[in-house]
Amino acid sequence: MDNKKINEDLVKFWDTALTISAEDKEEALKYTDLDYKELAPSVKLLNAVSELGQCENVLDYGCGTAWGAIVALKAGVKKVDAVDLGENIIDSAKFYAKLYNAEKGFNAFKVDENWLNEVKDDTYDGIICSNVLDVVTEDISLSIINNLSRVLKKGSLAVIGLNFYMSEEKAKARGIELVDGNKLFQNGVLRLLSLSDEEWSNIFSQYFNIIKLDHFAWEGEPVESRRLFILEKQ
Ligand SMILES: C[S@@+](CC[C@H](N)C(=O)[O-])C[C@H]1O[C@@H](n2cnc3c(N)ncnc32)[C@H](O)[C@@H]1O
């Protein structure tokens, strides 16, 4: 399968997975005591994104349901562009922004895969990119990283969330096949581009100063093996 098809298929997957049905929307609207902090997949991510609170103009790239954009706005950011490739995803992002009363400064829109190439240099003073760079093919990931660095102002921060690393040996021991040694497919859909902390660090350090590499877990996970990078534009 070529990379174009792999990336198209994974966007279709996420656009379906992140759709909120009319019934679920109706149900969610019944809650009056929602706390936006619960949207973040972990407290470490919540805190990292909240650190962007002084920013004027933030990009949440591959926003999904836009937890990052919502947290950033609640932390004080003036304006956030929350972009993704799926129509339903953007509908969900807008729904969450409304649900959590974070519509002021919230600018969610569907983009195509070329959009980031067209954004002007130094447009943003903060970036959030959570669980995107390691769910796409490596060529796309590298192109996104290059562009994120280009559109971020010098000295500004990017908060990057990544899944865990699964080595080839570990995958084999679990009966999982990693294609080309680092790509995990589930039902034909790319779900993980598995690079080690060192490999990601080597890529990021071509464009950014690595301020922090931390590890976190989603609720219920016993080990903190997901990666949180805080990067500063060189
Ligand atoms: C695992 S979800 C993460 C969503 C959200 N950022 C979060 O942390 O919950 C991956 C997201 O990346 C988006 N995506 C996939 N390929 C992309 C690309 N080339 N450019 C931007 N977003 C992409 C998907 O549509 C999906 O919303």
Side-chain angles (χ1 to χ4, degrees), residues 83-145:
V83 306
D84 207 302
L85 304 187
E87 197 104 36
N88 296 324
I89 295 171
I90 294 302
D91 177 71
S92 299
K94 287 181 177 166
F95 174 73
Y96 272 108
K98 191 169 180 196
L99 189 65
Y100 286 87
N101 197 17
E103 287 176 295
K104 191 162 180 273
F106 181 78
N107 191 24
F109 50 100
K110 177 185 168 327
V111 296
D112 65 22
E113 53 289 341
N114 290 319
W115 176 82
L116 195 55
N117 293 324
E118 310 292 329
V119 177
K120 287 202 185 106
D121 293 6
D122 307 326
T123 298
Y124 295 101
D125 61 352
I127 283 175
I128 304 158
C129 188
S130 161
N131 274 19
V132 178
L133 298 174
D134 64 347
V135 301
V136 296
T137 56
E138 197 160 351
D139 56 339
I140 297 293
S141 189
L142 295 177
S143 159
I144 294 173
I145 294 165

Side-chain angles (χ1 to χ4, degrees), residues 89-207:
I89 295 171
I90 294 302
D91 177 71
S92 299
K94 287 181 177 166
F95 174 73
Y96 272 108
K98 191 169 180 196
L99 189 65
Y100 286 87
N101 197 17
E103 287 176 295
K104 191 162 180 273
F106 181 78
N107 191 24
F109 50 100
K110 177 185 168 327
V111 296
D112 65 22
E113 53 289 341
N114 290 319
W115 176 82
L116 195 55
N117 293 324
E118 310 292 329
V119 177
K120 287 202 185 106
D121 293 6
D122 307 326
T123 298
Y124 295 101
D125 61 352
I127 283 175
I128 304 158
C129 188
S130 161
N131 274 19
V132 178
L133 298 174
D134 64 347
V135 301
V136 296
T137 56
E138 197 160 351
D139 56 339
I140 297 293
S141 189
L142 295 177
S143 159
I144 294 173
I145 294 165
N146 182 12
N147 271 320
L148 291 181
S149 135
R150 189 180 58 70
V151 303
L152 186 63
K153 290 184 176 149
K154 194 166 186 256
S156 296
L157 298 181
V159 176
I160 308 288
L162 297 167
N163 291 291
F164 44 81
Y165 170 60
M166 187 185 285
S167 68
E168 222 176 337
E169 299 75 54
K170 203 171 189 176
K172 262 193 196 133
R174 291 188 190 174
I176 297 169
E177 194 209 342
L178 291 183
V179 175
D180 302 331
N182 64 13
K183 282 187 283 299
L184 172 62
F185 286 83
Q186 272 177 4
N187 301 320
V189 177
L190 178 64
R191 299 295 302 281
L192 180 68
L193 170 66
S194 182
L195 302 184
S196 65
D197 292 8
E198 196 185 347
E199 287 171 309
W200 283 116
S201 298
N202 287 338
I203 295 170
F204 291 138
S205 58
Q206 293 171 41
Y207 305 94

